[in-house]
Structure formats: structure tokens, C-alpha cells
Amino acid sequence: MRQTDSNRYEEYVTLREEIRELLSHGRFILYVTSAFIIGALAWYMGKTDISVVNPAAFSIFLYAVLVYSSLIYINSLSQAFRIGGYVAVFLESRDTERRLQWHRYNRKGAPGGYLTGAAQIAYAALTLVVAGWLAYLFFTMPIDMRGWILWSILGGLLITACFSQIRNYLRIDRDRFERECIHIRASPDRQDEIHDAYETIPLNDRLLIRR
């Protein structure tokens, strides 16, 4: 893309900002979730009477928070890669002297740089912390509660295994978006699909703006 093309340049800058906001949102979700899980465990362990809340039930709540948070995180990064796929295929020039080289999340190295790797490690580690806390309680709880705790530990290990695939999932998503943009670009008849599948402002919102 030549920078003298002001319209395309403005589109490029706008999409860049949107990607940066999505990546920032992903980091924010990761920070808040980490603080919440550590704070929740500290609160629970600081209680003098833990019989009020069953530790197995409490761990299921923490697992649910982690899973929900990871889905929000993945969605944010996926949207960044969706926009990035469009940018990489339609806007980035192969001319090394003219292209704007800010966008490398889709083009080189691991998808999302350190962010996806950090998230994968963080979610897996937080889940293991919860499972490890349960393992500690296993030997201090009454025998009739140990069965539930054991199942909760096994559930945590399963969730950890799923979290270990976050990076690979996002890599597949990144490649899928780029392939779709390449196919659309190769066919002039299909380029209208960009406005349906890759428009950054939903159709209903665009109609309201026009009114």
C-alpha cells in the first residue's frame, strides 16, 4: 500500500487502532482474571470456617470464571486476527520501502507475539493453582468430602489440558482468516463479501449512522 493513497492510509490507521484496542482488551482480561483468582483463593483460605462453602463447589466456580474469561480473551484475539488478516492481504504492500511495518501479529512469528503464549501459560497455571490447593485440602477434609475434591482436581487437570491449546487454536484462526481474505481477493465477484464478513462496523450500526 502506498502512503500517498490517503483513503487507504486512513483505513489502515483505523484498523491498526482497532487491533491495538482488541489486544489491550485481551491483556486487561488476563490481568483482571489473574487478580480475581488469586484474591478469591486468599479470601477463602483466610476464612476461619470453610464449611460454609464446600471447597469443591468453590473450585468449580473458579474454573467457570477461568473458562468464561478465556472465551472472552480468545474472542478478542480472534477479532484482532480477523482484522489483521484483512490488513495483511488487502492493505500491506510488498514494497519494503513503502509498507507500514507495524503489523506483524499475523505475518511473522507466533500469532499475537508474547500475548497468546503468556495467556496460555497464565490460564493453565491459574487452573493448576486451584487444583493444587484442592490437593492440599484433600488430606485435611473429612473422608466423605474427598470424593468431590478428587473429581474437582481431575476436572482442573482436564481444563488445564484445554488451556494448553489456546496458542494453537489462535494460530489456526489466524491462518483461516488470511486464507479467506486471499480467496476473496482472487475473485473480484467475491470482494463484496468483505463488507459482510469483515466489516468492522455491524450492518445495523452502519444503517443507524447513515440515518
Side-chain angles (χ1 to χ4, degrees):
M1 181 187 72
R2 298 184 179 278
Q3 296 185 35
T4 53
D5 188 336
S6 60
N7 290 334
R8 289 169 66 82
Y9 179 72
E10 289 177 5
E11 180 184 21
Y12 195 87
V13 171
T14 300
L15 293 178
R16 173 190 181 185
E17 274 308 306
E18 189 164 347
I19 289 177
R20 291 178 63 180
E21 289 176 4
L22 287 166
L23 295 177
S24 295
H25 183 255
R27 286 192 293 269
F28 175 76
I29 291 297
L30 193 58
Y31 297 153
V32 170
T33 302
S34 300
F36 178 83
I37 296 298
I38 298 301
L41 284 175
W43 169 80
Y44 192 88
M45 289 187 292
K47 291 174 64 66
T48 56
D49 182 12
I50 64 174
S51 61
V52 176
V53 181
N54 186 296
F58 187 67
S59 68
I60 292 173
F61 166 71
L62 295 181
Y63 291 151
V65 169
L66 286 167
V67 171
Y68 182 67
S69 170
S70 69
L71 293 176
I72 297 175
Y73 168 84
I74 289 172
N75 182 67
S76 294
L77 269 289
S78 181
Q79 292 302 309
F81 293 153
R82 175 183 66 86
I83 300 170
Y86 172 84
V87 170
V89 173
F90 284 89
L91 298 179
E92 280 204 329
S93 169
R94 294 188 178 185
D95 185 342
T96 57
E97 296 181 358
R98 292 186 177 274
R99 68 185 178 191
L100 304 179
Q101 300 184 39
W102 65 268
H103 181 63
R104 287 294 172 269
Y105 289 104
N106 283 58
R107 307 307 296 162
K108 293 183 178 179
Y114 79 92
L115 187 55
T116 54
Q120 177 173 295
I121 294 171
Y123 280 116
L126 288 170
T127 308
L128 287 177
V129 166
V130 176
W133 167 70
L134 287 172
Y136 168 76
L137 290 182
F138 180 82
F139 298 100
T140 61
M141 289 289 102
I143 295 178
D144 60 331
M145 295 180 63
R146 291 183 180 180
W148 288 105
I149 292 178
L150 181 60
W151 279 110
S152 297
I153 293 172
L154 294 176
L157 296 178
L158 178 61
I159 294 172
T160 300
C162 294
F163 284 155
S164 68
Q165 298 302 310
I166 288 177
R167 193 183 186 94
N168 291 333
Y169 175 83
L170 288 172
R171 184 186 297 275
I172 293 171
D173 227 22
R174 174 203 63 181
D175 295 342
R176 176 174 64 86
F177 286 128
E178 288 200 22
R179 283 196 304 270
E180 289 178 357
C181 283
I182 290 171
H183 292 326
I184 292 171
R185 184 176 183 179
S187 172
D189 294 335
R190 295 187 60 199
Q191 290 196 19
D192 285 341
E193 293 181 23
I194 285 294
H195 299 290
D196 297 327
Y198 293 90
E199 181 64 55
T200 57
I201 302 177
L203 177 60
N204 292 336
D205 292 344
R206 280 185 282 136
L207 292 175
L208 290 174
I209 291 172
R210 290 174 184 175
R211 290 176 185 175

